[in-house]
Amino acid sequence: MTEIVAPVAGWLAAIEDVSDPVFASGSMGPGFAIDPVEGLVTAPCDGIVAAIAPTGHSVTIEAAGGATILIHVGLDTVALKGEGFEMLVAEGAGVAAGEPLIRFDMDRVALGARSLMTPVLVIGEGDRIDISGLGRAVSRGEIIARAEGNAAPARAVSAEVVRTVIVPMPNGIHARPAARIVEALKPYNAEIALTLADRRASARSVVGLLKLAAKQGDRLGIAASGPDAGAAANALAALIESGMGETEAAPLVTATALESAGPVLKGVAAAPGLAIGVACHFGRTEIDVPELGQGIARERAALADAIGKVASELHSNTRGPAADIARAHLALLDDPELREAADEQMATGRSAAFAWRSAIRESAAALKATGDALLMERVADLTDLERQVVSLLVGSDAAAQTLPQNAILIADDLLPSEFQALDPERLAGIALSAGGPTSHVAVLAASAGVPMLVALGPAVHGVADGAPLILDAANATLDTAPDPQALDDAARRLADQREARAAARKQAADEARTSDGARIEVFANLGSVEDAGRAVAEGAEGCGLLRTEFLFFGREAAPDGNEQARIYAAIAAALGERPLIVRTFDIGGDKPVPYLPMAAEENPALGLRGVRLNLLRADLLDTQLRAILRGVPSAQRRIMVPMVIEAAELRQVRERLRAAEAALGIAEPTPLGVMIETPAAALLAGTIAAEADFLSIGSNDLTQYALACDRGNPATAARVDALHPAVLHLIAAASSGAAKHGRWLGVCGGIASDADATPLLIGLGATELSVAPAQVAAIKAHVRALDIGACRTLAQQALACADAAEVRALLAEAGR
């Protein structure tokens, strides 16, 4: 047995008291925690420093007696990127008990981390620890435990774990999946690589993963070694096989593949819409950088500071597509291959700016050399980070380009940061000679409602500044010399669109009733506090689906109850007194998170997700239920459970909800509903409605399950149509079951935002539609033009159709 002394002075607590389920559950190993009162961590025993986190927040000691001891300073401290931490030893060094390991700034770390509580665990397979006297103050160096390692010879040698996966993502492993892979592997102590043919890349390097150029259908090898090799390999395999939520690939078309006729240039639509404006050429100048530096220490510090400032700015992007792109850029900034390449340059006397540019351009050249159109689009991301970091290093912060009113910006390509710096009030559209439809700037343009064409070819650069243009993304054309008639026609189309939107917005706050008086509530689907504000402005009467997953993604540990309660309260406040339906966490399966490692599943969509995971991880569910009860006023509060297939599951959740209400002294029961996302739930809606307070159709999953078509698989995604008669019959069955027990039926899936489907859903019995915030006013306007009797007749006709195409033809005819 090895004596373990307190590595830091403070309050000694049970590991179960740590507000982090990964540590508290013991899944990483048994141990204890200390709430420190000083900023010095020392060795808990004699041993060897086996591992140090790159960010300096944790250290692993191989004890002389055989146990492996992890000291993790604070919770979520990895996010500090090393700020406030100073490592006092190196990997491989021998240390004696009480020898200093880490010095940390308590104030700095306390401000940036979730907690200073410091877990100390034995993490070797078979390691054991006996702790004495929990719940007391301890001094650094005081004996508090005894640990014993598993002395079996096999423990010292970690065999390589090998897995094989097929890449399912339509666009292969590009920047966003690469960033998710790197993030998902952070909790694991393992060396892990991906192999493809004769190429090999570290799974912890975004740049390395991009250079691998893995495409859909490629067979990848996973090779892992180290203490967590098996868990890391399984988690990585499950993540890749899940498809990571990637949708069907947009066609990759190059400029040379397109033909243009006269003044009308043909391109590829990257963001929808119609724009009339004037040509404005985008100017980008090369930033001059000094080649020679002023000493390696100074240059390293300057580069670290510049990268930190760019990272801080990226961390401020917390919502929507910009947040996804920021995560990908943050992973690139933290990429070990880029850092090492820049460091090698600085070691030869180069300046930080020169070294960073060289490292970026070397990686960009490697991506271009793959010949893969999608990967070559990622070169823009690297170039963007090059310019942002270099600008800070040399003090050349270029001002954003001044745009004329209704500018249609012409460029070879555009970087995400350049797009975000443009004046949205003056920008009418974007026309690029190169670029691609899946680039990050295309994602941002679509989110901002800016029409965009790419791959227009070099002819677009011949357009004079100030020339009138018509950009029509629907037809993928740029008219560079429109005649008066073309301008009048385009202006009339834009005016009609604006008039319809304005009319809808004017009545957005009014109730939605059909022309014959039937009341239809129009709610909004939300995923953030900001969404709630926009939804109210658009006329939403409440929230029909709060996707709480946004709280659980992009972090090392699940959010605690206090954090959840604060955010739920903020969303409720933003909604005023409008109802708020909170869905319990729907993670796992095809939505993996790093702190819930799961074995690889043959089909994650049919695996451990929704209510199944809610009940399996009742600790997370109980925390969330209490947070909802604390954060949302009772008059607004509703709770909804995902992926239910039978009433027994709902009963179990209701029991936990009632227990949480009792613990908080809440007498009035909270309405508890069910998402109808499986054919089983639709067919058993009668028995489920006997237990539920309301039912809501989740059409996205219901459709793929009903049609046996994976919406993330490009081979079948085109057939995933929620207007298929089979899906409509399931909605009708759910409506009948709800009506039998006097329960209301809502629809919160993607079909609710489809105006073509509105009369069908109302005719099938839906009295609540929860749609995207931007669609609220338009859907309300559409409801007011409908007749409930005609809707019911149309629904019966749709149920008699043979396929989705026939249903859509029926709707088109009815809409004329």
Side-chain angles (χ1 to χ4, degrees):
M1 298 285 282
T2 300
E3 288 187 339
I4 304 298
V5 302
V8 64
W11 186 262
L12 179 63
I15 194 64
E16 293 80 10
D17 293 339
V18 176
S19 60
D20 186 312
V22 175
F23 292 116
S25 66
S27 60
M28 290 187 66
F32 55 88
I34 296 178
D35 195 357
V37 294
E38 62 177 2
L40 180 65
V41 177
T42 59
C45 59
D46 297 344
I48 295 173
V49 179
I52 297 172
T55 50
H57 70 286
S58 71
V59 60
T60 303
I61 305 294
E62 288 284 356
T68 303
I69 302 165
L70 169 69
I71 304 171
H72 192 287
V73 181
L75 304 180
D76 287 352
T77 42
V78 67
L80 296 177
K81 303 294 185 183
E83 293 184 27
F85 291 95
E86 179 186 1
M87 289 306 306
L88 305 176
V89 292
E91 286 188 7
V95 292
E99 186 171 338
L101 301 176
I102 302 173
R103 181 177 289 113
F104 63 98
D105 183 329
M106 289 189 67
D107 291 337
R108 172 70 185 88
V109 175
L111 287 171
R114 183 153 56 93
S115 169
L116 284 175
M117 185 68 82
T118 297
V120 181
L121 312 171
V122 290
I123 61 174
E125 185 178 354
D127 285 359
R128 298 184 297 277
I129 188 168
D130 294 323
I131 309 158
S132 59
L134 291 169
R136 62 188 175 93
V138 294
S139 302
R140 178 164 34 88
E142 178 182 341
I143 297 173
I144 55 176
R146 286 175 172 77
E148 182 177 10
N150 181 356
R155 182 183 173 279
V157 179
S158 179
E160 187 172 67
V161 175
V162 177
R163 299 282 186 273
T164 301
V165 294
I166 304 297
V167 178
M169 289 82 79
N171 291 325
I173 296 180
H174 57 95
R176 289 188 291 276
R180 286 193 62 186
I181 288 171
V182 171
E183 183 178 2
L185 292 176
K186 285 180 179 177
Y188 301 102
N189 182 12
E191 292 295 323
I192 188 160
L194 287 176
T195 60
L196 175 59
D198 60 348
R199 304 193 296 278
R200 184 182 181 94
S202 167
R204 298 188 184 277
S205 167
V206 172
V207 170
L209 291 171
L210 292 178
K211 289 179 182 177
L212 198 62
K215 301 179 180 66
Q216 184 182 39
D218 281 346
R219 182 180 296 274
L220 293 180
I222 298 174
S225 60
D228 298 338
N234 287 339
L236 179 54
L239 180 61
I240 293 174
E241 289 173 343
S242 75
M244 302 192 222
E246 294 288 304
T247 55
E248 185 173 6
L252 294 178
V253 186
T254 62
T256 55
L258 300 170
E259 296 182 0
S260 298
V264 179
L265 303 181
K266 186 73 174 176
V268 176
L274 174 68
I276 303 172
V278 295
C280 174
H281 287 268
F282 180 73
R284 181 191 298 156
T285 57
E286 180 84 334
I287 301 172
D288 292 329
V289 302
E291 181 174 354
L292 297 180
Q294 301 180 37
I296 186 169
R298 183 170 179 175
E299 298 301 323
R300 280 175 172 165
L303 180 59
D305 181 63
I307 289 174
K309 288 177 179 176
V310 173
S312 178
E313 182 66 24
L314 289 170
H315 276 298
S316 68
N317 290 315
T318 59
R319 180 176 54 82
D324 293 333
I325 294 166
R327 280 192 287 271
H329 282 197
L330 282 166
L332 284 171
L333 276 180
D334 200 34
D335 191 89
E337 283 194 16
L338 285 178
R339 297 288 188 102
E340 289 168 11
D343 200 65
E344 288 174 5
Q345 289 277 342
M346 289 185 290
T348 66
R350 302 300 200 277
S351 72
F354 185 92
W356 181 250
R357 172 175 286 174
S358 297
I360 289 281
R361 293 188 177 182
E362 179 184 341
S363 293
L367 294 185
K368 289 179 181 177
T370 65
D372 183 284
L374 182 68
L375 289 180
M376 287 190 283
E377 288 183 11
R378 302 286 77 82
V379 170
D381 297 318
L382 289 169
T383 303
D384 202 352
L385 293 176
E386 174 200 317
R387 292 183 65 85
Q388 291 184 67
V389 172
V390 167
S391 293
L392 289 172
L393 286 168
V394 302
S396 174
D397 190 10
Q401 180 161 341
T402 301
L403 301 178
Q405 195 64 42
N406 296 321
I408 293 182
L409 195 67
I410 296 173
D412 182 49
D413 203 353
L414 198 63
L415 305 178
S417 63
E418 292 169 337
F419 173 83
Q420 291 171 317
L422 297 170
D423 183 351
E425 298 300 321
R426 291 177 170 270
L427 182 63
I430 298 172
L432 302 182
S433 63
T438 62
S439 67
H440 281 157
V441 76
V443 175
L444 292 173
S447 176
V450 177
M452 176 174 167
L453 294 178
V454 298
L456 285 161
V460 72
H461 294 296
V463 179
D465 269 332
L469 301 173
I470 299 175
L471 189 157
D472 186 353
N475 294 308
T477 58
L478 180 72
D479 191 341
T480 64
D483 59 29
Q485 184 62 50
L487 288 169
D488 286 346
D489 290 345
R492 192 176 302 108
R493 287 170 58 194
L494 276 175
D496 289 345
Q497 293 171 7
R498 290 179 185 134
E499 185 179 343
R501 284 195 298 268
R505 288 293 299 274
K506 189 175 181 180
Q507 293 183 290
D510 298 343
E511 287 186 349
R513 292 183 180 274
T514 62
S515 60
D516 51 348
R519 178 76 170 95
I520 305 296
E521 293 180 307
V522 181
F523 286 15
N525 297 332
L526 306 179
S528 68
V529 178
E530 294 82 3
D531 282 352
R534 285 196 302 276
V536 170
E538 291 287 342
E541 300 173 72
C543 169
L545 168 63
L546 176 62
R547 299 184 179 96
T548 59
E549 297 78 55
F550 76 96
L551 282 165
F552 290 79
F553 290 143
R555 56 196 304 156
E556 285 194 324
D560 63 21
N562 289 333
E563 179 184 357
Q564 291 189 58
R566 284 195 302 272
I567 293 175
Y568 299 148
I571 292 172
L575 288 173
E577 298 181 352
R578 298 168 181 84
L580 171 56
I581 300 176
V582 184
R583 181 175 70 184
T584 57
F585 62 90
D586 188 10
I587 56 179
D590 59 347
K591 305 171 187 174
V593 290
Y595 50 85
L596 288 180
M598 299 180 187
E601 294 181 294
E602 181 99 13
N603 190 338
L606 300 179
L608 192 57
R609 55 170 298 197
V611 70
R612 299 167 188 171
L613 185 60
N614 288 174
L615 294 173
L616 181 69
R617 289 302 305 266
D619 56 325
L620 296 181
L621 177 62
D622 291 345
T623 297
Q624 184 174 41
L625 292 175
R626 288 194 295 269
I628 296 168
L629 294 172
R630 289 164 51 204
V632 184
S634 60
Q636 289 179 266
R637 188 172 60 235
R638 322 276 192 275
I639 297 175
M640 185 160 62
V641 186
M643 292 300 295
V644 168
I645 64 170
E646 57 195 14
E649 294 168 320
L650 183 64
R651 279 195 292 271
Q652 293 180 66
V653 175
R654 191 180 291 278
E655 288 172 5
R656 307 201 76 86
L657 175 59
R658 295 295 173 256
E661 289 170 335
L664 294 173
I666 296 174
E668 184 178 351
T670 300
L672 184 65
V674 166
M675 280 192 78
I676 303 296
E677 301 175 271
T678 66
L683 295 173
L684 295 177
T687 58
I688 292 174
E691 302 279 346
D693 295 305
F694 61 90
L695 307 182
S696 187
I697 303 292
S699 61
N700 300 349
D701 275 323
L702 182 63
T703 301
Q704 72 167 347
Y705 292 144
L707 303 182
C709 292
D710 183 356
R711 54 194 166 111
N713 184 335
T716 59
R719 302 199 64 183
V720 180
D721 191 332
L723 291 179
H724 193 285
V727 180
L728 300 181
H729 276 281
L730 290 172
I731 295 174
S735 176
S736 175
K740 185 188 300 184
H741 295 278
R743 310 303 189 205
W744 61 263
L745 177 75
V747 183
C748 60
I751 192 176
S753 297
D754 183 351
D756 289 342
T758 302
L760 273 185
L761 298 175
I762 293 173
L764 289 171
T767 58
E768 180 251 33
L769 303 175
S770 191
V771 307
Q775 292 295 109
V776 170
I779 293 296
K780 276 187 157 185
H782 193 39
V783 167
R784 297 185 188 107
L786 299 175
D787 173 87
I788 191 70
C791 288
R792 289 170 179 161
T793 300
L794 184 67
Q796 292 306 308
Q797 292 172 339
L799 291 173
C801 289
D803 54 34
E806 196 172 324
V807 173
R808 290 194 175 276
L810 173 68
L811 295 178
E813 180 63 29
R816 289 196 181 104

